[in-house]
Amino acid sequence: MSNILGIRNYDYVEFYVGSAKMSAFWYASTLGMKITGYIGPETGTKDRVSYYLSQNNLKIVLTSAVQPSCYEVLSFVNKHGDGVKRWAVEVDDVEKAFRYATQHGAVMVKRPEMIKNKHGHVTEAAIRLYDDTELVYINRDHFDHIFKPGYCVPPQKIHIEYEDTGIVGIDHIVGNVRENEMNLWADYFNKTMSFETFVDFKAGDIGTKYSALLSKVVRSSDSVIRNPINEPYPAEKKSQIEEYIEQYHGSGVQHIALQTPDIIKTVEALRKNGMEFLDVPDTYYDMLRNRKDIRIRENIDDLQRLRILCDKESTGYLLQLFTKPIGDRPTFFFEFIQREGAEGFGKGNFQALFESIELDQKLRGNLDKEPIEVMPPC
Ligand code: FE2
């Protein structure tokens, strides 16, 4: 089933970070990505640097300021820490997608613009998303060089050793928004992108005895773009979403799920590359072995060794695993997911996941509603 905006797939995600060069080394060595593009002073851009990394369909841009005049990047990082500034979808016709979105209430950020050089041209436009986040429409049909016009081969001689992780692209991108904003943003997607609400987790569906959240998943009609939106829900203690909103200082992208056809190979490689994951107790796998309704090809001993989670749906199953927050603030993290016929988001794993996150929140002193004194471990 096609979608009305002519959306083909996810394109790139751009992070604003404190140091793009150092982040690029971390993304390359940990996620197993190649650093293939660069803009900066050497290429004529004086106030910022951007590194472009790719692996199969996954495209990531890391940008940081190198001059005080680069206020846009500096103010973002100052307020939010390292985080997702914009994510892009590839569309058949940028003008058409942008016109549809703005006619249906989208806040415009950038009108369609053609960026060109001797290798061809790329067209881009952007609309507002959450607080300081943007959603970009891009078409690169007439460009066949490094990422976008302006990007060159990185001047640094970069040689990074890593295990091949086999990541193929983006599965979904999740936003965290303030209390009572979830419906507003779900409606925004549904009206401006002609999306539909696919899943609606209500009070009591997701949570532990301490913390809870509400979540809606909106998606394009052909399901190539899936965008869960979470908001905090009142509970005895502070939820992970409240912690995110406090530490990020607003609404933004919480996690990006990356697809793999072989999660055992992927997680094995990621662990060797130094990625840090949320822990899962052994009791989870005892329960998994006892579940008669789950038949999976993978060996449960392998899942237990690598701490991979499994969830069953009527149409199939999925395997998934979540990293710890990748930066200094407990905000953005990655998920890795292998879908075997399942279209959901691992609802059966929420309990184990939340308990694991709460343990980390407690260590940070962010689980209780009132700040508590954290006893340093050393
Ligand atoms: Fe997810």
Side-chain angles (χ1 to χ4, degrees), residues 290-320:
N290 289 332
R291 280 182 67 172
K292 301 286 176 238
D293 61 325
I294 292 190
R295 293 224 194 311
I296 59 173
R297 279 201 316 271
E298 291 73 12
N299 184 328
I300 294 181
D301 290 347
D302 283 334
L303 302 186
Q304 182 167 10
R305 178 170 58 82
L306 296 165
R307 294 319 202 219
I308 295 167
L309 301 161
C310 174
D311 196 29
K312 161 102 170 56
E313 292 173 9
S314 59
T315 52
Y317 65 94
L318 61 82
L319 302 167
Q320 63 185 165

Side-chain angles (χ1 to χ4, degrees), residues 184-199:
L184 182 155
W185 285 108
D187 289 347
Y188 185 84
F189 272 101
N190 291 345
K191 281 184 188 143
T192 66
M193 303 275 286
S194 190
F195 280 12
E196 61 191 17
T197 300
F198 168 49
V199 188

Side-chain angles (χ1 to χ4, degrees), residues 177-249:
V177 299
R178 296 182 194 81
E179 201 170 338
N180 295 325
E181 285 187 357
M182 178 185 71
N183 287 327
L184 182 155
W185 285 108
D187 289 347
Y188 185 84
F189 272 101
N190 291 345
K191 281 184 188 143
T192 66
M193 303 275 286
S194 190
F195 280 12
E196 61 191 17
T197 300
F198 168 49
V199 188
D200 186 357
F201 294 114
K202 297 199 163 50
D205 284 346
I206 317 177
T208 65
K209 106 183 198 207
Y210 293 130
S211 63
L213 61 87
L214 303 177
S215 187
K216 268 188 176 175
V217 183
V218 294
R219 65 174 183 183
S220 57
S221 53
D222 53 2
S223 207
V224 296
I225 306 296
R226 291 177 270 221
N227 188 75
I229 305 162
N230 303 322
E231 74 169 43
Y233 188 73
E236 214 175 288
K237 299 206 172 186
K238 197 183 289 177
S239 73
Q240 52 172 298
I241 313 302
E242 281 174 280
E243 186 192 37
Y244 176 99
I245 300 288
E246 272 185 16
Q247 298 291 317
Y248 191 78
H249 293 270

Side-chain angles (χ1 to χ4, degrees), residues 171-172 174 228 254-257 320 322 333 335 337 345:
D171 184 273
H172 59 272
V174 181
Q254 178 210 41
H255 77 265
I256 297 177
Q320 63 185 165
F322 299 85
F333 59 89
E335 172 185 350
I337 187 164
F345 298 88

